[in-house]
Amino acid sequence: MAFGRIAKLKSLRIALLQINPTAGDISGNAALILDGARRARTLGADLVVTPELALMGYLPRDLLMSRGFIRRGECELHRMAGELAEGPPILVGVATENPAEMGRPLFNSAVMLRNGKVGPAFHKTLLPTYDVFDEDRYFEPATEPQILEINGHKLGISICEDVWNDRDFWNRRRYHTDPIEVLARSGAQAIINLSASPFQVGKELLREKMLSHTAGKYGLPLVVVYQVGGNDDLIFDGRSSAFDAQGRLFARAKGFQEDLVIADIDASTGTIAEDDFTPEAEIWNALVLGVRDYARKTRFRQVLLGLSGGIDSALTAAIAADAMGPENVLAVMMPSVYSSRGSVDDSVELVRNLGIRSIQLPISGIMETYSRTLDPAFEGLPADVTEENIQSRIRGNLLMALSNKFGSLLLTTGNKSELAVGYCTLYGDMNGGLAVIADLPKTMVYRVARWHNRRNPDIPEAILTKAPSAELRPNQTDQDSLPPYDLLDQILELHVEQSQSAEEIIAQGFDEATVRRVLRLVRLAEFKRKQAAPVLKVTSRAFGTGWRMPIVRSD
């Protein structure tokens, strides 16, 4: 189905304003938009486009329930219109009030600012309610095609999810209507899409394939502007892009940083930023950005973490050093009687390689005090996981004390495999304000660490090669309690990310007893995950806002 453009269009230079907004910071986000619009003017832009909900910062979540918040956004739009009266028109992503007496109270909108005036507004049609999204909670969908006429061009205006429902691209569509098809049939000569689109590994290549297909299918240029940065558990990779009427990519903004790209949709000219789409590179860049923005936007200048001599804390420390600068990272080593000399030496070497600060707080004496205090209550009972957990909780308390005293953000160092099966201690190693690698399976932790070491060999080789261990009892290894990580991670991916049942996984050749044991551990650990720090999301399904399993369940 090719619609094509009716007549030769005059040149239209569109500025893709890829900014890093903060959820709720209307005045700060407005300043980013104003600065970008002024730079776009100097570059000869005819139209400036921001990401989805750029004025509010995506995701604003239940801030949208505050009428005062929405009205501040409206007031800011009018102020911005006055400031930009002499510049090119700009489409601003913003939440607007629904004046009707029925339906949700808001629209997810793109509002035009032109010649000092506000309007018209264009509204989002498809409202996602899966994974981290819950837009039907706030917004009323648009019901009519929305065409913007500018400089002799008819531009079909769409917002994020509106481009994700092509019948010829997806085997199963989520929605009954396709807004892009409707826009094409309504005479649009190009498609503009304001988007946010949270990061997950491999998603950008899928997005480009989908958008290329859509542009070529309708014979219409297609421009998408993405948000960049981190807000809470979500990371946005940017990479705003433009495709010509044949589906050829001709412009792409930088990944994981702010950018402004000019795309001429008639001449199909623009710049394509270099990028690295390997999973390890994407994950590294995403987590560095996620840590940096979470700290910056919550006003932390320094971070700290417990350093055990294992791979998880080593990778977390390397990410933190890149995100915050080595001088702003404190590594805390807390050896016990069970800590091997090698683990301590490996930690010291890692600290030296990264250039981060460190302190040692031995905990053997504290363990003895706990033992003496609890001995009367535990009399006659054998030592078990209780004593192991006490060690972890001692360390957790010390880390929280340092966090309080120094005003530093405590990073947790557990991975996704551990969090999935509960191989972590509540109020111990789970203490902290941000879970950096908790969406990375253990096998991916090693992959990312080795990728990093090929560029900067900071992580000692001994950490990469020794058997993983919590070192909470003599000669302990993770595999004493868990299946091998390569097997465990396969089962967890099928269950957690693909929602497969035990029967479906077993049917693929996995050992039944192992599968049922792993899935039972996942179920039992739900209460821990409900109390975990925010998890930076990099896979299709993280243990965060998109994971909505009940604690109390029977299956």
Side-chain angles (χ1 to χ4, degrees):
M1 182 189 303
F3 287 78
R5 289 174 289 178
I6 297 172
K8 181 71 174 176
L9 300 179
K10 296 179 181 178
S11 176
L12 181 65
R13 292 166 57 83
I14 299 178
L16 287 58
L17 188 55
Q18 182 173 290
I19 59 172
N20 184 350
T22 300
D25 186 9
I26 290 176
S27 59
N29 298 337
L32 293 177
I33 295 169
L34 289 170
D35 178 68
R38 292 177 182 126
R39 287 188 289 125
R41 180 186 180 185
T42 65
L43 296 174
D46 301 305
L47 174 67
V48 182
V49 184
T50 79
E52 175 183 17
L53 292 176
L55 189 57
M56 274 65 188
Y58 194 89
L59 282 166
R61 295 194 168 101
D62 279 3
L63 289 173
L64 294 168
M65 290 185 171
S66 167
R67 297 187 69 183
F69 179 69
I70 301 302
R71 287 171 180 168
R72 286 201 303 276
E74 181 181 359
C75 290
E76 194 65 45
L77 276 181
H78 285 275
R79 186 186 73 82
M80 292 169 63
E83 293 253 357
L84 299 173
E86 303 301 319
I90 178 170
L91 278 171
V92 178
V94 63
T96 61
E97 290 193 76
N98 177 9
E101 295 181 358
M102 293 182 62
R104 285 74 162 179
L106 302 173
F107 290 110
N108 185 338
S109 304
V111 174
M112 172 64 79
L113 306 184
R114 177 164 47 180
N115 299 326
K117 297 180 180 179
V118 177
F122 308 87
H123 308 312
K124 188 173 184 176
T125 301
L126 304 182
L127 304 176
T129 58
Y130 57 88
D131 193 39
V132 300
F133 309 108
D134 200 5
E135 294 196 27
D136 193 57
R137 180 180 176 94
Y138 315 104
F139 299 119
E140 184 71 7
T143 57
E144 300 292 335
Q146 302 163 108
I147 304 291
L148 168 66
E149 295 194 24
I150 182 169
N151 294 5
H153 298 71
K154 293 183 177 180
L155 306 178
I157 307 302
S158 61
I159 299 177
C160 200
E161 191 83 353
D162 292 346
V163 298
W164 286 79
N165 201 46
D166 189 286
R167 71 178 75 249
D168 297 321
F169 188 83
W170 301 103
N171 292 328
R172 180 184 177 88
R173 296 194 302 161
R174 190 177 294 272
Y175 311 94
H176 296 284
T177 60
D178 182 354
I180 305 306
E181 180 180 11
V182 174
L183 288 171
R185 291 189 182 278
S186 300
Q189 297 167 307
I191 304 295
I192 307 296
N193 184 267
L194 292 76
S195 191
S197 196
F199 168 81
Q200 73 182 52
V201 63
K203 185 177 180 179
E204 172 59 16
L205 293 179
L206 173 65
R207 288 191 304 209
E208 291 190 7
K209 183 178 179 181
M210 176 190 70
L211 296 169
S212 172
H213 163 85
T214 301
K217 172 180 175 177
Y218 295 110
L220 300 175
L222 194 161
V223 174
V224 183
V225 183
Y226 294 118
Q227 175 173 305
V228 73
N231 277 327
D232 290 354
D233 56 329
L234 300 183
I235 302 163
F236 302 85
D237 53 323
R239 295 162 163 168
S240 303
S241 53
F243 300 81
D244 66 18
Q246 288 73 46
R248 180 184 65 89
L249 175 74
F250 69 88
R252 181 175 63 220
K254 297 174 183 176
F256 304 100
Q257 57 184 296
E258 291 185 302
D259 201 3
L260 192 160
V261 172
I262 300 294
D264 189 321
I265 64 170
D266 189 55
S268 298
T269 56
T271 59
I272 299 177
E274 293 185 5
D275 215 320
D276 187 341
F277 297 111
T278 59
E280 296 84 355
E282 285 202 310
I283 288 171
W284 178 272
N285 290 329
L287 293 180
V288 167
L289 177 59
V291 170
R292 181 184 297 135
D293 269 7
Y294 189 90
R296 178 176 64 87
K297 293 179 180 182
T298 52
R299 296 179 174 84
F300 284 100
R301 295 182 178 179
Q302 297 184 327
V303 300
L304 75 153
L305 70 156
L307 200 61
S308 68
I311 186 64
D312 296 327
S313 61
L315 179 60
T316 304
I319 291 168
D322 197 352
M324 304 296 297
E327 69 280 5
N328 294 314
V329 180
L330 174 65
V332 185
M333 292 173 276
M334 295 166 285
S336 76
V337 293
Y338 302 122
S339 300
S340 67
R341 183 71 255 170
S343 291
V344 175
D345 291 344
D346 293 340
S347 296
V348 171
E349 183 180 351
L350 177 70
V351 166
R352 183 172 61 249
N353 292 347
L354 292 175
I356 60 180
R357 298 176 296 121
S358 69
I359 58 173
Q360 281 201 33
L361 302 176
I363 67 168
S364 296
I366 304 175
M367 289 169 58
E368 292 174 2
T369 301
Y370 265 78
S371 181
R372 286 195 302 270
T373 302
L374 289 169
D375 274 349
F378 288 175
E379 186 177 1
L381 299 174
D384 56 17
V385 71
T386 303
E387 284 74 16
E388 295 180 22
N389 287 340
I390 286 173
Q391 292 179 63
S392 181
R393 290 180 177 127
I394 289 170
R395 291 177 170 126
N397 273 325
L398 294 176
L399 289 169
M400 285 305 303
L402 295 171
S403 174
N404 292 162
K405 182 63 69 175
F406 301 146
S408 298
L409 173 65
L410 174 57
L411 305 177
T412 74
T413 62
N415 61 67
K416 188 174 190 175
S417 307
E418 295 171 345
L419 191 58
V421 297
Y423 199 70
C424 47
T425 303
L426 203 57
Y427 321 123
D429 60 330
M430 291 179 69
N431 281 6
L434 182 66
V436 178
I437 63 169
D439 198 27
L440 266 63
K442 186 77 167 190
T443 49
M444 182 56 78
V445 170
Y446 280 103
R447 286 176 56 182
V448 174
R450 291 190 175 100
W451 174 91
H452 170 71
N453 262 23
R454 288 194 293 271
R455 287 147 185 81
N456 298 289
D458 298 320
I459 300 174
E461 186 64 22
I463 292 178
L464 291 165
T465 55
K466 66 184 175 184
S469 172
E471 293 193 329
L472 298 176
R473 63 173 184 266
N475 303 314
Q476 182 185 33
T477 67
D478 292 0
Q479 258 57 78
D480 296 340
S481 306
L482 300 174
Y485 277 116
D486 57 349
L487 173 60
L488 176 64
D489 287 352
Q490 290 181 66
I491 295 172
L492 290 174
E493 180 179 358
L494 293 171
H495 182 58
V496 174
E497 295 186 41
Q498 300 183 31
S499 301
Q500 292 190 18
S501 66
E503 289 71 22
E504 291 173 308
I505 299 171
I506 293 165
Q508 298 175 55
F510 291 90
D511 175 69
E512 179 175 357
T514 301
V515 170
R516 295 198 183 280
R517 175 175 169 240
V518 169
L519 268 57
R520 178 177 180 272
L521 291 173
V522 172
R523 183 172 70 253
L524 293 176
E526 192 60 46
F527 79 101
K528 292 185 179 182
R529 290 190 290 272
K530 287 292 190 293
Q531 301 177 67
V535 174
L536 291 179
K537 182 181 187 298
V538 296
T539 70
S540 62
R541 199 175 192 202
F543 292 125
T545 52
W547 179 263
R548 305 183 188 186
M549 289 293 178
I551 297 174
V552 179
R553 54 189 282 200
S554 177
D555 57 12

